[in-house]
Amino acid sequence: MADLRELLARGRASAARVDAATPAGRDRSVDALRAFAILGVVLGHWLVTALTTADGGLATTSPLIRMPWLAPVSWLFQTLAVFFLVGGHVGARSHASARARGVTYGVWIAGRLGRLFRPVAMVLVLWSVAAAGMLLGGASPETVRALLKLVLSPLWFLLVFAALTAATPLVARLHPLWPLAVVLHVDLARFGFGAPEWTGWINVAAGWLVPYTLGAAWARGAFAGRRDPWVLLAGGAAATVALVLWGGYPASMVGVPGAQVSNLNPPTLAAVTFGLAQCGLALLLRGPLARAMRRPLAWAGVALLNLSAMTVFLWHQTAMMAVTALGLLAGSDLPGLHTVPDGPGWIPVRLLWLPVFGLALGICLAAFRTYEGRPVRQHGAVRKGMAHA
């Protein structure tokens, strides 16, 4: 009991140091929104992606295939729009600050993109070696392909985010209605007039540009009141429900293997209107989040997650796969880990595996966090890291 009290006391002391080291003018609600967006992506992937044993190897599947009634749950974990909202806000403010200080665009964008892509190199190197080792060790190409797809497919998000970040000087003052109009017309061409499927990929840029430009508008002082966020939330939610019920769009906001249409790959109008609703809700939560972040323990967790956001994003799938692979040593399929998600009983068992995935992700963080930036060991490191986050 004494050891537990000592541990808690150390945790509170560490949280107090992080709180004291944070720049006084930092908007902590922005970091809280980014942390929730990252957690949504991680938990969503862990819940809607399953690796099952098939023909002696591993194959990916989703509970949404056999339990489509779970589709509304995907609405809780599809948080990419919030990430792009925060990205637009931070990017626009960062660029404006750099210009005011006389920093050139080249220096500014090198700094912004450096933190994005430094951790990617380690992922690519490790998985290239791992894939070669698995093939030489006799693993089936299908298994290796399935694992690599899980690791590499999320990288599309980084490419889009990097492109929008690089284009910040051009798009920071673009009205969100312009990219929204592009998404609308692309979907009309695809689904109404039989345009080629490749036209949908225009929405990869246009669709995520909508929340990014909303974030840039927020940086300029928009959404100071509550009226506009409520309009975004109510209008986006109503449009999304209408598109799903009467427009023929899928209810799931994440990709479902084998589905004829995906709301995410590429983004559809339903995904964008859903993102508008999410952005409205996020903007409404700024006040409560700012108050919650005054608590040192809550802020310390959010601050440390933000400083490791790229590592968490890049390695969370590897953590899940490592646990799944180690589970094979048990000699039989483990429920919720290797079994097919074909019924409601799979869900609570899967939830029990989430802490194990989290532990594996913690090990990955300890091993690879250094590639994202300096470890947080002292007041100055926290202050420097948060100043550039």
Side-chain angles (χ1 to χ4, degrees):
M1 195 67 177
D3 291 340
L4 178 59
R5 285 196 296 268
E6 183 180 354
L7 184 62
L8 292 175
R10 289 181 179 177
R12 286 192 292 267
S14 296
R17 287 194 294 270
V18 172
D19 182 65
T22 302
R26 189 171 188 87
D27 186 347
R28 300 184 181 192
S29 67
V30 174
D31 297 281
L33 288 173
R34 179 162 44 194
F36 283 128
I38 288 292
L39 287 177
V41 171
V42 171
L43 293 175
H45 282 161
W46 285 351
L47 289 171
V48 304
T49 303
L51 279 169
T52 61
T53 54
D55 300 324
L58 293 171
T60 57
T61 186
S62 171
L64 297 173
I65 297 175
R66 295 171 177 83
M67 294 180 281
W69 49 269
L70 283 176
V73 178
S74 68
W75 293 33
L76 300 175
F77 299 106
Q78 176 46 278
T79 53
L80 285 177
V82 177
F83 198 94
F84 278 98
L85 172 76
V86 173
H89 175 78
V90 174
R93 290 190 62 182
S94 173
H95 181 253
S97 174
R99 288 188 62 186
R101 290 180 284 111
V103 177
T104 65
Y105 171 79
V107 172
W108 173 78
I109 195 60
R112 300 301 297 179
L113 297 186
R115 192 180 175 198
L116 278 180
F117 289 115
R118 278 194 301 269
V120 174
M122 179 52 59
V123 173
L124 296 178
V125 169
L126 185 144
W127 271 99
S128 296
V129 174
M134 285 187 288
L135 290 172
L136 292 174
S140 68
E142 291 76 15
T143 295
V144 176
R145 189 179 302 114
L147 297 179
L148 287 177
K149 184 177 180 180
L150 282 180
V151 172
L152 300 179
S153 58
L155 296 185
W156 69 264
F157 155 79
L158 293 182
L159 295 176
V160 177
F161 189 80
L164 294 184
T165 300
T168 296
L170 298 176
V171 304
R173 292 190 173 274
L174 182 68
H175 198 286
L177 285 178
W178 287 108
L180 180 61
V182 172
V183 174
L184 171 63
H185 284 83
V186 167
D187 273 19
L188 282 174
R190 286 177 65 201
F191 304 129
F193 299 98
E197 283 300 309
W198 63 262
T199 58
W201 295 103
I202 298 173
N203 285 351
V204 172
W208 299 118
L209 191 56
V210 174
Y212 194 87
T213 51
L214 282 174
W218 174 17
R220 296 195 303 271
F223 312 115
R226 296 178 65 83
R227 177 181 173 275
D228 289 341
W230 272 112
V231 170
L232 286 175
L233 173 57
T240 304
V241 170
L243 289 169
V244 170
L245 293 180
W246 300 296
Y249 286 84
S252 174
M253 289 299 155
V254 299
V256 180
Q260 186 175 1
V261 176
S262 168
N263 274 322
L264 191 60
N265 192 28
T268 64
L269 181 61
V272 175
T273 57
F274 175 69
L276 290 175
Q278 279 191 319
C279 290
L281 179 60
L283 292 167
L284 288 170
L285 290 175
R286 286 176 297 170
L289 286 174
R291 291 189 291 273
M293 291 302 105
R294 294 172 189 165
R295 302 171 182 172
L297 280 174
W299 170 241
V302 166
L304 295 178
L305 178 55
N306 271 271
L307 290 174
S308 304
M310 280 300 302
T311 308
V312 169
F313 179 80
L314 290 171
W315 292 97
H316 73 279
Q317 294 283 57
T318 298
M320 181 190 71
M321 287 185 280
V323 172
T324 305
L326 288 173
L328 294 174
L329 299 177
S332 60
D333 289 348
L334 297 177
L337 192 63
H338 307 118
T339 53
V340 175
D342 55 1
W346 182 87
I347 301 170
V349 181
R350 183 65 168 192
L351 292 173
L352 294 176
W353 284 104
L354 296 188
V356 185
F357 297 158
L359 178 61
L361 180 56
I363 296 172
C364 291
L365 280 174
F368 302 110
R369 166 69 180 89
T370 184
Y371 294 98
E372 185 168 355
R374 290 185 177 180
V376 181
R377 292 179 180 172
Q378 54 189 7
H379 295 195
V382 177
R383 188 177 296 276
K384 180 179 179 181
M386 295 307 297
H388 294 86

